[in-house]
Amino acid sequence: MKIKRLLRSIIGGEKRQAFIIPLLAIFCSLVVSALLLLSMGRNPFVAFQSILAGAGVLAKPNYAGGRGMVTDIMMTLAALTPMIFASLAVTVAFKGGLFNIGISGQMLFSGFLATILVGYSDLPSYVAIPLVLIVGAVAGALVGGLIGILKSKFNINEVVSSIMLNYIIMYVISFFILTRYVDSITRNSSAINASARLVFQNFMIGPYRAVLPVFIILAIGAAIAIKFFLDRTRMGFDLRTVGLNTQAARYLGISPQLNIMFAMTFSGALAGIAGVMHYLGYNDMIPPGSLSSIGFDAIAVALLGNLNPIGTIFAAALITVISQGTTYMSSVLDIQREIAQVITGLILLFSACGAFLRQLLSRTGERTE
Amino acid sequence: MENIIEVKNITKAFPGIIANNDISLEIRRGEIYALLGENGAGKSTLMNILFGLYKPDRGDIILRGERVIISSPAHAASMSIGMVHQHFRLVEDFSIAENIVLGIEPKHRFLGILPYVGMTSVNRKIAQLSRDLGLDVDPEMKVSDAGVSIRQRVEILKMLYRNAEILIFDEPTAMLAPQEIAYLLKILKNLKEQGKTIILITHKLSEVKEIADRCGILNRGRLIGVYDVASTSASDMAAYMVGRELDDELPPPPQDFGDVVLDVSNMSVAQRGLKCVDDVSFSVRAGEVFAIAGVDGNGQKELADALAGLIDVSGGSIMLSGQDMTRASVRQRIEAGLSYVPEDRHGIGLILDFPLRHNLALRRYYVSPFCVNGVFKESVFDDFSTGLIENFDIRCGQGGHTVTRSMSGGNQQKAIVAREIELASKLMIFVQPTRGLDIGATRAIHKHIMRQREAGHAIFLISMELDEIRVLADTIGVIYDGRINRIAPARELSTEEIGEYMMGVKV
């Protein structure tokens, strides 16, 4: 009991918990990572610094010709865009009481459809780019909606159906890429035309060459819009009500079935946009036979962001910075790239503990009041 | 005959209620002793004390002539006391035999090293036990495949496997179908013949009459008396159970009733193939409090849920102010003039993780002025909740922004009542509106209900507490086994008569 009281005094009330617990999780994971790095004989501060430098947050000591800090940060933002959308997809599903673990599959499906429908066409940018976004959102919504229908009509657990769909989508699309769209040199799908690409290439910012990830603004806008949607609109309220208490929703006359379908469709649409941002933005091709890890990392990002769309932006930024900074860190310190994944893993582990901590505290709180 | 267990002057208080008040009982070896009483009379508390789940505030337990302190269920089991709870405690994915030996598994070592649980001998032993008592249980069956009746027998075997001599059954027939009840009663008789002592908690008089030797009757935490079952009539027992002093409570002052608001005819409801509301007809008029009296689990919850549109009826019709609502959706009924304070306030009445201001507006949030073009007007929510919090005296730390989960039960219930009354519906349904609340909150809610009656709303009240019905009801319908067997003005029904219908003595 004493320990709990102490924790309470550190962490504070409901409002403060939202900030303190994720920060605590990050802090703990950094400490443990530092210990890990020390045990390998590396300086943890150099490691963290080189991660930040690799992601373009800090300056590197020297750059290749035509490259600068801005080059790296723009690349990080390009990677951040799909991560935010994918995390928003997780958040929306979670708020509706659903666990969308099929985001990677939905991303691949939308990325593939947008690639073959728009990516290989000769349409000018101002037609192609909106079309890519629309195709992406619709394709993702179709897969998400299917999972939602299976759940609400036939009570098929969404986790099972989305994992199965992940595999089906991955292998079917792999088949089509390898038989029809393969690039004979890279063994990936052929690169899309630059006019359809969502991240503008080869921009000169001052003396430096960089990409221009304009849709990061759309991602941030989407997070704000979803925050508003969940908190301030009737549909968002219905969705959260169903997510928190299906029985109460029925008592109030809110249809759990409709809202489950809606939440999954919405989540799928966001995952679809994440898909085109990844496969037709950050990348310009699709590697066959694999799923992007973004869809899975997004689950953890959403949790770290407290299932709050705004918090998601920061959590996604943190995780993206770490994964983007890895290559540089491993070359500076001469350690394996995987160490960065260990750090990411630790952050996620501790943020999961944060949820446990919060529950523990709310339960003791109830008893004392 | 010697007393196997005695309790002397046991008192146990919970905040706001004395559950057991100076109770003394003597239970003889080899008898079936029934413990009768209404909901909340203190039966379960007393048995939980015997089973080591609660510690008494005062008083002694004397087991086989020695004073003992029972500190935990495991301790109780070691002193050969066993209990079958109303809600079974079984592991779904385990076989019946595995459930039975859980905690006392026979441990063997393969080749003297690798530990394992030897189930073969266990299965054989349980099959033997089961055959001896006519329990008809397959030890290797998975519990998830077993029905309610079999699960109960597993619980019985669990006690017997631990060599229990004193067997406590907490309302064992509550979840069983009639033929399963007959079977269980036969098993209980077998157990008695084998020399076991049985304590049976129940509020079904017919079962007491059929198998018990003696019965102790509890009312509001006090022991009213101990009676020899063979020489006491069922109607006397019913009268002792509900208690006589209740007649002092004054029924509401007479007032003229208006038009019929709710008209239910021949309504039936079936759940999982069992008929729980059976051909029920009644009507409620404006300004009338129509109360359903009955023991818990006789179809009250289903009756209310069917009226509110949460579950489908299997027959009959529901008319609300002349409109047919039999197949209407929940929202159609609400909008046609229905309020519903449900029994399960945490499960369905509130979204505990929402702030109070949202919970108070749950019936109105989707229409103007709360919501314009699909977007909430936050200031309307604030003003609305502030008004209700004041009018209904809801105590909450941070006003409308208090997280509902952090509020006390009484204030949570006030919030639901406030929300439903504010609708000013023609028909207001209240199910167990004061269950678990302290006296202050109970009075406040009663006052609100009476005010709505005076304002000319039709009130449909379901309560398991007779005194609540006594102070509120104009008309009483008594439900037993899904049927309303008697409907009469409250003044014409004596408490004894209600008790007899409630217990199924009269039908």
Side-chain angles (χ1 to χ4, degrees):
Chain A
M1 275 325 270
K2 257 187 196 154
I3 298 169
K4 279 181 192 167
R5 223 171 290 150
L6 183 69
L7 274 174
R8 251 189 118 63
S9 67
I10 296 172
I11 291 167
E14 300 257 349
K15 281 262 151 73
R16 262 176 69 196
Q17 282 180 24
F19 297 99
I20 305 276
I21 289 183
L23 289 181
L24 205 65
I26 292 164
F27 177 75
C28 290
S29 56
L30 289 182
V31 169
V32 177
S33 323
L35 290 176
L36 184 76
L37 287 161
L38 277 176
S39 76
M40 298 170 72
R42 302 299 197 285
N43 183 338
F45 292 102
V46 175
F48 297 145
Q49 196 192 3
S50 60
I51 286 179
L52 293 178
V57 181
L58 294 178
K60 293 177 190 168
N62 47 55
Y63 286 94
R67 301 176 123 256
M69 210 175 119
V70 70
T71 316
D72 293 332
I73 190 89
M74 285 300 173
M75 209 51 179
T76 303
L77 290 179
L80 176 57
T81 312
M83 182 60 98
I84 291 178
F85 276 108
S87 311
L88 290 173
V90 177
T91 303
V92 166
F94 255 121
K95 290 285 179 184
L98 298 159
F99 189 40
N100 186 358
I101 200 170
I103 288 171
S104 286
Q106 291 145 28
M107 283 172 66
L108 181 58
F109 185 68
S110 75
F112 177 71
L113 277 193
T115 298
I116 59 169
L117 292 178
V118 191
Y120 296 146
S121 72
D122 299 324
L123 293 168
S125 267
Y126 61 88
V127 183
I129 286 176
L131 262 184
V132 165
L133 289 173
I134 292 168
V135 169
V138 170
L142 285 176
V143 181
L146 173 66
I147 296 165
I149 288 171
L150 290 175
K151 166 92 178 176
S152 62
K153 295 282 176 210
F154 307 104
N155 199 24
I156 293 171
N157 189 302
E158 77 277 8
V159 174
V160 175
S161 60
S162 47
I163 289 178
M164 287 167 67
L165 276 169
N166 274 352
Y167 283 109
I168 294 169
I169 290 169
M170 179 173 87
Y171 286 114
V172 170
I173 286 178
S174 179
F175 168 80
F176 281 112
I177 289 176
L178 290 174
T179 51
R180 302 196 54 179
Y181 303 105
V182 74
D183 180 304
S184 52
I185 297 164
T186 64
R187 302 305 294 168
N188 293 326
S189 68
S190 324
I192 58 165
N193 292 328
S195 62
R197 199 158 173 190
L198 301 175
V199 173
F200 305 144
Q201 302 292 308
N202 293 327
F203 247 74
M204 293 306 289
I205 301 175
Y208 305 116
R209 190 176 292 281
V211 297
L212 202 58
V214 281
F215 286 103
I216 184 72
I217 295 164
L218 185 69
I220 292 169
I224 295 168
I226 286 169
K227 172 85 178 144
F228 181 83
F229 167 80
L230 288 171
D231 288 353
R232 300 282 303 271
T233 69
R234 177 188 167 181
M235 282 170 89
F237 188 85
D238 286 356
L239 188 142
R240 284 192 295 139
T241 305
V242 170
L244 284 170
N245 189 334
T246 320
Q247 292 305 317
R250 275 170 32 78
Y251 160 76
L252 294 167
I254 300 169
S255 162
Q257 283 81 15
L258 271 181
N259 278 284
I260 284 170
M261 279 191 268
F262 170 69
M264 270 323 280
T265 309
F266 191 4
S267 173
L270 288 167
I273 296 177
V276 292
M277 292 291 173
H278 180 66
Y279 292 112
L280 291 88
Y282 183 74
N283 285 328
D284 61 352
M285 47 70 197
I286 301 171
S290 73
L291 289 171
S292 159
S293 66
I294 292 174
F296 302 104
D297 291 344
I299 295 167
V301 167
L303 288 177
L304 183 64
N306 245 329
L307 296 178
N308 177 328
I310 308 297
T312 290
I313 300 175
F314 296 103
L318 178 73
I319 301 295
T320 309
V321 162
I322 292 176
S323 65
Q324 288 289 312
T326 320
T327 317
Y328 184 65
M329 178 199 74
S330 66
S331 71
V332 169
L333 289 188
D334 187 29
I335 50 175
Q336 298 85 339
R337 280 187 57 121
E338 281 70 18
I339 212 71
Q341 274 167 336
V342 173
I343 298 176
T344 317
L346 283 168
I347 292 180
L348 305 176
L349 181 70
F350 280 105
S351 63
C353 294
F356 166 72
L357 203 63
R358 200 172 312 136
Q359 202 188 356
L360 193 79
L361 288 176
S362 74
R363 236 184 287 151
T364 52
E366 250 165 76
R367 238 172 278 149
T368 50
E369 268 156 46
Chain B
M1 228 188 296
E2 64 167 316
N3 292 332
I4 189 162
I5 192 164
E6 295 174 26
V7 299
K8 281 198 164 41
N9 311 101
I10 290 276
T11 298
K12 173 76 188 174
F14 293 105
I17 187 170
I18 299 179
N20 287 162
N21 193 345
D22 197 22
I23 291 178
S24 300
L25 289 178
E26 289 156 2
I27 290 155
R28 296 172 193 152
R29 183 182 291 279
E31 75 172 337
I32 297 184
Y33 190 101
L35 212 49
L36 264 172
E38 281 185 280
N39 302 98
K43 300 164 296 196
S44 293
T45 307
L46 184 60
M47 288 306 113
N48 283 331
I49 288 173
L50 281 189
F51 193 54
L53 283 167
Y54 294 151
K55 281 190 186 38
D57 300 336
R58 270 198 304 282
D60 296 316
I61 299 167
I62 290 153
L63 185 69
R64 301 184 189 90
E66 275 175 58
R67 186 170 169 274
V68 291
I69 289 167
I70 302 172
S71 54
S72 70
H75 190 206
S78 73
M79 294 188 290
S80 64
I81 301 173
M83 183 159 177
V84 175
H85 296 271
Q86 201 173 347
H87 302 285
F88 306 138
R89 289 154 192 215
L90 298 171
V91 183
E92 295 266 328
D93 280 341
F94 278 11
S95 78
I96 285 175
E98 283 164 342
N99 264 287
I100 290 171
V101 296
L102 198 61
I104 50 165
E105 305 88 352
K107 293 182 187 104
H108 300 289
R109 282 186 184 276
F110 182 69
L111 300 175
I113 330 167
L114 296 167
Y116 72 101
V117 175
M119 288 307 295
T120 344
S121 60
V122 170
N123 285 340
R124 215 178 308 124
K125 190 174 168 193
I126 289 169
Q128 181 66 41
L129 253 178
S130 148
R131 237 187 337 265
D132 290 349
L133 289 158
L135 285 173
D136 190 23
V137 163
D138 170 12
E140 289 173 62
M141 183 189 208
K142 255 196 178 186
V143 164
S144 53
D145 297 330
V148 179
S149 171
I150 294 182
R151 285 172 191 225
Q152 188 172 52
R153 283 176 254 155
V154 175
E155 289 281 7
I156 296 174
L157 278 171
K158 219 157 116 184
M159 297 190 296
L160 297 176
Y161 191 84
R162 286 163 175 73
N163 299 315
E165 286 182 357
I166 302 167
L167 312 178
I168 304 171
F169 289 84
D170 189 0
E171 299 191 21
T173 58
M175 326 238 286
L176 301 183
Q179 58 276 39
E180 291 170 339
I181 293 178
Y183 186 48
L184 175 71
L185 296 184
K186 207 173 80 196
I187 293 170
L188 294 184
K189 281 184 203 158
N190 282 348
L191 289 170
K192 183 190 166 189
E193 273 165 31
Q194 303 244 329
K196 307 285 183 193
T197 309
I198 292 169
I199 306 176
L200 181 67
I201 302 178
T202 183
H203 37 226
K204 293 192 180 162
L205 282 176
S206 55
E207 293 158 15
V208 175
K209 268 298 201 192
E210 191 177 336
I211 61 165
D213 300 302
R214 295 190 305 152
C215 85
I217 296 180
L218 295 184
N219 186 320
R220 301 184 189 191
R222 288 183 178 278
L223 183 69
I224 300 296
V226 177
Y227 304 92
D228 186 45
V229 172
S231 61
T232 313
S233 76
S235 59
D236 281 347
M237 282 195 245
Y240 297 140
M241 207 171 119
V242 293
R244 287 170 201 282
E245 76 263 43
L246 298 183
D247 278 359
D248 306 337
E249 309 266 15
L250 283 179
Q255 80 174 10
D256 291 331
F257 303 137
D259 299 333
V260 169
V261 173
L262 174 70
D263 192 18
V264 174
S265 44
N266 305 105
M267 185 176 91
S268 296
V269 178
Q271 293 268 286
R272 292 179 300 273
L274 282 173
K275 216 171 206 189
C276 32
V277 177
D278 191 1
D279 196 23
V280 162
S281 301
F282 60 88
S283 59
V284 189
R285 290 158 289 183
E288 178 183 17
V289 176
F290 184 101
I292 294 285
V295 173
D296 200 2
N298 277 286
Q300 291 99 320
K301 185 182 175 293
E302 291 80 3
L303 176 57
D305 281 352
L307 290 180
L310 294 184
I311 52 179
D312 291 333
V313 298
S314 53
S317 69
I318 302 166
M319 305 285 281
L320 187 61
S321 312
Q323 277 175 279
D324 187 359
M325 286 284 145
T326 316
R327 305 259 165 243
S329 73
V330 173
R331 276 222 172 128
Q332 282 167 334
R333 292 179 209 222
I334 300 293
E335 280 160 11
L338 179 144
S339 290
Y340 178 23
V341 175
E343 176 179 11
D344 185 359
R345 67 182 74 119
H346 287 162
I348 69 173
L350 291 168
I351 318 277
L352 291 174
D353 292 317
F354 276 174
L356 181 59
R357 58 204 279 278
H358 282 154
N359 269 305
L360 286 172
L362 282 179
R363 290 295 190 199
R364 290 194 181 272
Y365 72 94
Y366 60 96
V367 286
S368 172
F370 292 86
C371 178
V372 180
N373 299 325
V375 177
F376 285 170
K377 291 268 174 272
E378 295 294 329
S379 61
V380 178
F381 281 83
D382 284 333
D383 295 345
F384 180 77
S385 60
T386 311
L388 285 188
I389 288 168
E390 264 173 38
N391 285 341
F392 286 81
D393 188 29
I394 303 166
R395 312 268 164 84
C396 43
Q398 295 133 342
H401 292 272
T402 315
V403 176
T404 315
R405 188 182 288 285
S406 71
M407 291 163 50
S408 73
N411 283 302
Q412 290 175 344
Q413 181 72 352
K414 276 191 207 165
I416 299 179
V417 168
R419 179 184 74 209
E420 300 300 317
I421 283 181
E422 189 278 330
L423 280 175
S425 306
K426 282 176 246 164
L427 173 69
M428 298 184 178
I429 301 174
F430 292 88
V431 183
Q432 292 274 67
T434 61
R435 188 171 69 167
L437 303 190
D438 62 27
I439 296 170
T442 301
R443 286 222 180 105
I445 284 170
H446 284 174
K447 212 189 285 170
H448 285 303
I449 294 177
M450 291 320 279
R451 211 174 288 156
Q452 295 310 306
R453 169 182 177 268
E454 280 157 34
H457 299 284
I459 314 275
F460 180 72
L461 169 74
I462 292 180
S463 178
M464 320 291 156
E465 324 251 343
L466 264 187
D467 34 355
E468 175 163 87
I469 287 178
R470 271 294 175 206
V471 289
L472 295 176
D474 296 299
T475 311
I476 298 176
V478 191
I479 195 165
Y480 176 76
D481 203 12
R483 293 174 150 272
I484 298 182
N485 288 321
R486 177 99 165 97
I487 297 177
R491 286 167 190 283
E492 293 172 17
L493 274 176
S494 69
T495 302
E496 286 81 0
E497 198 181 347
I498 298 174
E500 287 176 1
Y501 282 104
M502 249 168 72
M503 309 313 294
V505 179
K506 279 190 185 173
V507 285

